[in-house]
Amino acid sequence: MVDCKHAIHPAYQEEHQAHKQNTGDTSTIGYKYEPEPFAFRRDNSWLGVVLDPKIWRRKEQKPSSMTVLLFCFQSTVLLLLLLTMSVLLLRTSRALGLSALQRFCGLRQNRSVKSMAKSTSLRIVGGLSSAETGDWPWQASLQYNNIHRCGATLISNTWLVSAAHCFRDMKHPQKWTATFGALLKPPSLKRSVKTIIIHEEYRYPEHDYDIALVQLSQRVEFTSSIHRVCLPEPSQTFPYNIHAVITGWGALTNDGPTPNALQEATVKLIDSNTCNREEVYDGDITPRMLCAGYLEGGVDACQGDSGGPLVTPDARLMWYLVGIVSWGDECAKPNKPGVYTRVTYFRDWITSKTDI
Ligand code: ARG
């Protein structure tokens, strides 16, 4: 801040200059409001109030308080203006960044598809250990009585999509919570559940229409590490054999333990004709399903991954939800790839329930 009490008013600067020349005085001048308008300073110390009317004749010319204010505040005001402007600029850029997150779906910060080809190891049975926080920002864990049961995918600030079979005999929203972040414990965010919508056509123990929507009781604000995935158009087709990524906290081996850190694995989409072959699923694959994995086995989703995402990036590296982990014959067995709920089939159903 400008020190108004000690700023030199230009009207007196000149006079003081003259005074110094005439008398050889080496003092500097400061303008002091109180108790008198002028004071000299030598060696940086105030000598006192100048009362000599011979030198400071023009006492009556004491600048009006308005002048003083204007003079003093000129610089203050400039400074304040600059400060306000930079704060505004900062805010706008932040808002722009955030609104990009609101507007865009399927963004992964500082990630590319490169890492995808590398992770072609085995399954979530065979996956790459632990994605880091923010790697898969749409992934949620659905927990019943605080125990991880299923995966889910964030599709808006308040809605998750998951599998219907996750809620088989556990339909009370009050007992469910959703957590976000790469670790189950501790999660980076937790939300209670307000509503569970199970597809009307889903009939346990069949796997057809295995989709559910979960509404959070409080919205989540998107950040770079928590935000929504893109939903494909109903008409969108995904070519077979393209790579897609599955993520989840499911078992690392069939009947194996549940990891604390989110796992990821790369799988390939398998066309339904192949998947319906006798040695594979022998006609069990309906138009609501999609197979992904490897006929040779080794990489797959497993128990606990259900409801979680199967995603694939488009050319702009925005990630789309292609499938929802649904079922399989054990995990990662040859000729028994993972079976996923086909999201394009349910795109309009999702809109009808959520307006998304
Ligand atoms: N139904 C399992 C669950 O509730 C997921 C099955 C996925 N299995 C597979 N082999 N892809 O978690």
Side-chain angles (χ1 to χ4, degrees):
M1 278 298 185
V2 173
D3 179 0
C4 282
K5 283 194 175 170
H6 302 115
I8 300 168
H9 191 277
Y12 300 106
Q13 209 157 21
E14 230 173 79
E15 197 170 338
H16 178 247
Q17 211 53 44
H19 159 77
K20 273 166 76 174
Q21 259 163 26
N22 294 342
T23 61
D25 188 357
T26 56
S27 67
T28 52
I29 190 176
Y31 177 72
K32 210 175 176 192
Y33 259 147
E34 288 168 341
E36 282 289 316
F38 312 109
F40 278 11
R41 185 164 56 185
R42 201 175 266 149
D43 308 326
N44 285 333
S45 59
W46 290 95
L47 289 182
V49 176
V50 173
L51 296 170
D52 186 348
K54 269 186 289 171
I55 303 173
W56 305 106
R57 293 157 268 130
R58 290 197 276 157
K59 235 181 174 182
E60 69 285 1
Q61 281 181 6
K62 176 180 173 183
S64 71
S65 28
M66 197 56 200
T67 320
V68 170
L69 267 177
L70 272 175
F71 168 71
C72 286
F73 284 114
Q74 255 174 21
S75 21
T76 315
V77 163
L78 251 163
L79 225 132
L80 276 175
L81 242 150
L82 267 168
L83 261 166
T84 325
M85 271 173 63
S86 44
V87 165
L88 273 172
L89 252 163
L90 256 167
R91 281 224 188 129
T92 335
S93 60
R94 213 177 112 80
L96 277 175
L98 281 179
S99 79
L101 270 180
Q102 305 299 321
R103 272 188 299 137
F104 296 120
C105 54
L107 291 179
R108 298 182 64 207
Q109 214 184 22
N110 308 326
R111 301 276 154 187
S112 66
V113 263
K114 262 188 294 170
S115 62
M116 197 168 134
K118 268 197 294 171
S119 64
T120 318
S121 28
L122 315 159
R123 26 182 181 162
I124 323 194
V125 184
L128 255 199
S129 161
S130 59
E132 280 164 36
T133 290
D135 271 0
W136 306 103
W138 40 81
Q139 173 87 50
S141 156
L142 280 177
Q143 312 193 347
Y144 190 76
N145 289 334
N146 294 316
I147 295 165
H148 170 86
R149 288 285 180 159
C150 270
T153 307
L154 197 59
I155 56 170
S156 79
N157 299 91
T158 48
W159 286 97
L160 297 167
V161 66
S162 187
H165 80 258
C166 293
F167 306 96
R168 224 185 320 165
D169 41 11
M170 303 171 284
K171 297 196 177 67
H172 295 296
Q174 312 89 286
K175 297 213 166 173
W176 287 93
T177 49
T179 71
F180 300 87
L183 300 181
L184 286 183
K185 292 208 166 50
S188 48
L189 190 73
K190 202 171 178 168
R191 284 285 182 272
S192 46
V193 167
K194 184 162 143 191
T195 328
I196 298 167
I197 301 175
I198 292 165
H199 198 285
E200 302 79 358
E201 306 286 328
Y202 173 75
R203 301 276 177 273
Y204 177 79
E206 280 159 42
H207 303 294
D208 216 2
Y209 298 91
D210 194 7
I211 187 169
L213 289 161
V214 174
Q215 187 180 30
L216 304 174
S217 42
Q218 195 196 343
R219 58 187 267 127
V220 294
E221 295 310 328
F222 292 156
T223 64
S224 54
S225 50
I226 303 177
H227 60 89
R228 69 191 167 113
V229 78
C230 300
L231 287 173
E233 291 299 307
S235 58
Q236 204 161 327
T237 54
F238 296 95
Y240 291 109
N241 277 323
I242 63 164
H243 287 283
V245 174
I246 50 175
T247 46
W249 291 274
L252 298 177
T253 54
N254 196 37
D255 290 329
T258 299
N260 189 41
L262 185 63
Q263 310 286 305
E264 63 182 65
T266 303
V267 290
K268 281 167 117 186
L269 304 191
I270 298 170
D271 76 278
S272 293
N273 287 336
T274 308
C275 208
N276 266 327
R277 288 203 312 237
E278 201 184 332
E279 73 277 19
V280 188
Y281 284 121
D282 194 16
D284 285 346
I285 306 303
T286 72
R288 270 83 48 201
M289 300 172 192
L290 172 96
C291 298
Y294 302 92
L295 292 182
E296 60 270 33
V299 185
D300 196 4
C302 204
Q303 269 64 48
D305 288 321
S306 278
L310 166 80
V311 287
T312 188
D314 72 358
R316 302 163 300 169
L317 290 191
M318 292 167 90
W319 292 72
Y320 282 78
L321 185 67
V322 181
I324 300 165
V325 178
S326 178
W327 62 280
D329 182 351
E330 294 185 15
C331 306
K333 286 203 299 187
N335 275 332
K336 304 294 168 193
V339 186
Y340 298 79
T341 307
R342 190 183 282 271
V343 173
T344 48
Y345 188 93
F346 294 102
R347 185 63 189 87
D348 292 333
W349 178 80
I350 294 172
T351 307
S352 74
K353 302 291 173 187
T354 64
D355 274 331
I356 295 166

